[in-house]
Amino acid sequence: MAVRAPEGTRDLLPDEQRFWTTFKNTAATIFGRYGYQPIETPLFEQTELFVRGIGEATDVVSKEMFTAISGENLKTLVEGGTIKAKSRLSLRPEGTAGVVRAVVQHDLVPQGAAPAKLMYAGPMFRAERPQKGRQRQFNQVGIECLGAEEPTVDAEGIIMLMRFFEAMGIPVASTRLLVNSMGCSECRPAYRDAVKAYMDEHAAELCDECNRRAEVNPLRAFDCKNPACSEVMDGAPKISDYLCDNCRAHYETVKQLVADAGIAFIEEPRLVRGLDYYTRTVFEVQVVEGMGSQNAIGGGGRYDKLVEEVGGRPTPGFGFALGYERCLLALQAAGMELPGKPPCDVFVASVDDSVRDMSFRIVQAARDMGLTAEIDHQHRSLKSQFKLADKLNAVLVAVVGPDELEEGVVTVRNMQTHHERKVELKTLKSVMERFLGERQVG
Ligand code: AMP
């Protein structure tokens, strides 16, 4: 059988790929208004970065990372040898750790500087069990703001994300914005202990995985999909009762600013999100209907300790990521059809093979002028060339024939009006220029 794409991966065929470009460009335009600049980091990093940054006890790091290994190092390992820490590499499961590493490495937030505002777009890799809306390679667009701890950063980030969804055509009414504060290193330990104590009391009702989580990372139990565990965790202590005064004030300001921007949200005290690095604000945007269990289209939060974890100066941070494929599913569930290939401006048809060289020169001249121009490469009959022009949605067809060439003319047909006229070869360029001008205005 022919080789297929690996499980959990998906080819972005031209319509989807074109839409991905539109999606990224829209993000760059909107996020650019808030001062975010593009950055691109490698698709793989030292494994240690993710272990330290995201946290060893998270599912993403403990179970879902893909290791990238050179053939030589694999051989060493198979033979029972060891490889250097810097050769232990993993495909990035998310974008924040790499961006934070780049910020530290290039000192993008010197002391006293304005925050660094960065955005990225590209593939992430997680060895999750594939299902609808959950892939092993998927595309994210994300932002990171490093160097400011003020709640205005969190609020503008959340507002910006919602504005982006709106601009892409995901109706706000079809989404639900959940927000929470996870506290800080001062108030979270007491909360964590309270959740652990509660889980210990309910150990018999919780699944084995949650009992294991109680030992290493009790808050992760809020994410358990097991209905019995969810029911138990519904009764667990709420972080809102444990926030210190500073965290409470920060949270109140974020909510106020988001509400002032006309954005509705739901406070969800059980929202903890899957990664360990969050402090204070966390949020998630879900699609209300039609997406099954994988309904989160974006989310993020504040991570004031992460930069230190990866070896930088204490630098507060805030970021979010959104999933392209899930947004596409949400848009398609809302009835959107992917825009098709843009029409071809000019199709240059040849009456017979004797004029093909001239046709080739004309089509090339049209492209050099900035028009989308096509030609038949397979010696089709004139009739089939017109069929092809139709299929390509050609606006004009320029017919090159031996008799016309003798006269120094080509026949240009407008495919919409079926109007035909002879155009002198000398003036063809200016006719096409005029057409190009009109097309750009249109
Ligand atoms: P996270 O980094 O887990 O907060 O994910 C941010 C966003 O990326 C989610 O809201 C999803 O839209 C998307 N996403 C995360 N994991 C996957 C996956 N396995 N497949 C497709 N999209 C994903």
Side-chain angles (χ1 to χ4, degrees):
M1 200 183 74
V3 179
R4 299 178 68 86
E7 210 192 346
T9 68
R10 215 162 145 261
D11 299 309
L12 290 184
L13 297 177
D15 284 355
E16 287 172 323
Q17 174 60 28
R18 218 176 306 107
F19 193 64
W20 170 224
T21 305
T22 308
F23 193 86
K24 285 187 285 189
N25 291 347
T26 308
T29 303
I30 293 184
F31 300 169
R33 291 181 196 151
Y34 296 73
Y36 284 87
Q37 296 298 307
I39 186 169
E40 192 159 327
T41 61
L43 298 195
F44 57 86
E45 298 273 356
Q46 288 186 35
T47 303
E48 191 195 347
L49 172 71
F50 302 121
V51 171
R52 276 164 56 182
I54 304 173
E56 198 150 20
T58 57
D59 283 356
V60 166
V61 168
S62 64
K63 297 194 255 181
E64 297 167 3
M65 273 207 303
F66 279 106
T67 296
I69 196 156
S70 70
E72 197 184 343
N73 282 329
L74 180 61
K75 191 162 165 270
T76 308
L77 285 179
V78 168
E79 284 167 1
T82 52
I83 58 171
K84 294 192 188 89
K86 70 170 194 228
S87 302
R88 295 204 188 101
L89 305 169
S90 293
L91 297 183
R92 61 183 190 188
E94 52 92 71
T96 305
V99 172
V100 165
R101 194 259 318 128
V103 165
V104 172
Q105 185 174 333
H106 305 286
D107 196 19
L108 297 185
V109 194
Q111 255 160 350
K117 289 177 142 183
L118 301 163
M119 66 163 289
Y120 58 84
M124 305 296 158
F125 306 85
R126 293 184 198 172
E128 296 190 86
R129 197 171 43 77
Q131 65 179 86
K132 187 180 169 207
R134 190 162 73 187
Q135 297 168 213
R136 298 186 142 197
Q137 177 177 337
F138 54 97
N139 287 295
Q140 282 188 341
V141 173
I143 61 105
E144 315 295 343
C145 174
L146 285 133
E149 60 181 353
E150 284 67 20
T152 42
V153 168
D154 315 28
E156 76 170 17
I158 296 173
I159 295 166
M160 177 170 96
L161 177 61
M162 298 312 282
R163 295 285 193 261
F164 169 74
F165 285 142
E166 240 179 295
M168 283 317 303
I170 301 177
V172 176
S174 71
T175 62
R176 167 166 61 207
L177 167 63
L178 306 178
V179 297
N180 189 24
S181 172
M182 293 191 60
C184 64
S185 50
E186 258 182 50
C187 53
R188 191 154 71 211
Y191 175 62
R192 206 183 125 107
D193 290 349
V195 174
K196 178 171 175 359
Y198 172 85
M199 289 175 73
D200 288 347
E201 273 169 41
H202 293 82
E205 300 150 64
L206 294 169
C207 70
D208 291 348
E209 182 68 12
C210 279
N211 278 312
R212 194 184 62 80
R213 286 174 175 138
E215 297 309 316
V216 284
N217 204 343
L219 304 192
R220 190 82 335 107
F222 286 110
D223 284 338
C224 186
K225 295 280 183 274
N226 186 325
C229 296
S230 304
E231 205 174 299
V232 172
M233 295 312 288
D234 276 347
K238 305 254 180 303
I239 180 82
S240 36
D241 296 328
Y242 286 78
L243 293 180
C244 63
D245 289 347
N246 287 340
C247 285
R248 191 178 305 283
H250 185 101
Y251 187 36
E252 290 305 319
T253 309
V254 173
K255 286 186 291 181
Q256 185 63 48
L257 292 169
V258 171
D260 284 352
I263 293 171
F265 57 85
I266 301 166
E267 284 186 66
E268 174 48 275
R270 285 160 304 187
L271 179 69
V272 292
R273 302 200 29 84
L275 315 175
D276 263 0
Y277 51 58
Y278 290 114
T279 49
R280 293 192 167 161
T281 314
V282 285
F283 69 100
E284 188 162 286
V285 185
Q286 299 176 347
V287 171
V288 185
E289 269 173 32
M291 299 271 291
S293 63
Q294 304 303 312
N295 63 353
I297 52 173
R302 179 159 279 287
Y303 47 83
D304 289 342
K305 296 283 166 229
L306 177 60
V307 181
E308 280 164 83
E309 291 295 334
V310 304
R313 272 193 300 278
T315 310
F318 171 87
F320 65 67
L322 54 110
Y324 168 63
E325 288 81 0
R326 284 210 202 151
C327 288
L328 191 54
L329 285 173
L331 283 164
Q332 287 171 328
M336 183 206 75
E337 281 188 27
L338 283 171
K341 190 176 168 188
C344 161
D345 296 321
V346 185
F347 186 93
V348 182
S350 306
V351 171
D352 63 32
D353 282 353
S354 71
V355 295
R356 282 189 176 260
D357 286 354
M358 182 51 118
S359 299
F360 193 84
R361 283 202 287 277
I362 294 173
V363 80
Q364 194 49 45
R367 290 163 181 162
D368 289 344
M369 285 167 56
L371 292 167
T372 311
E374 265 292 13
I375 192 170
D376 159 52
H377 290 284
Q378 295 158 302
H379 301 274
R380 285 167 210 254
S381 68
L382 187 59
K383 195 170 161 209
S384 310
Q385 290 177 64
F386 266 99
K387 273 196 195 146
L388 180 56
D390 249 343
K391 226 170 133 193
L392 295 169
N393 265 329
V395 183
L396 301 178
V397 175
V399 186
V400 185
D403 299 342
E404 288 87 345
L405 266 195
E406 291 243 315
E407 286 175 49
V409 295
V410 292
T411 307
V412 177
R413 179 193 286 205
N414 182 318
M415 296 293 278
Q416 270 141 22
T417 60
H418 298 286
H419 178 79
E420 268 188 13
R421 67 177 172 129
K422 290 210 176 345
V423 174
E424 280 188 47
L425 269 177
K426 303 201 282 276
T427 56
L428 184 60
K429 189 157 183 275
S430 58
V431 168
M432 291 203 290
E433 263 164 5
R434 219 168 36 241
F435 174 75
L436 177 65
E438 280 163 22
R439 196 204 54 178
Q440 278 168 347
V441 171

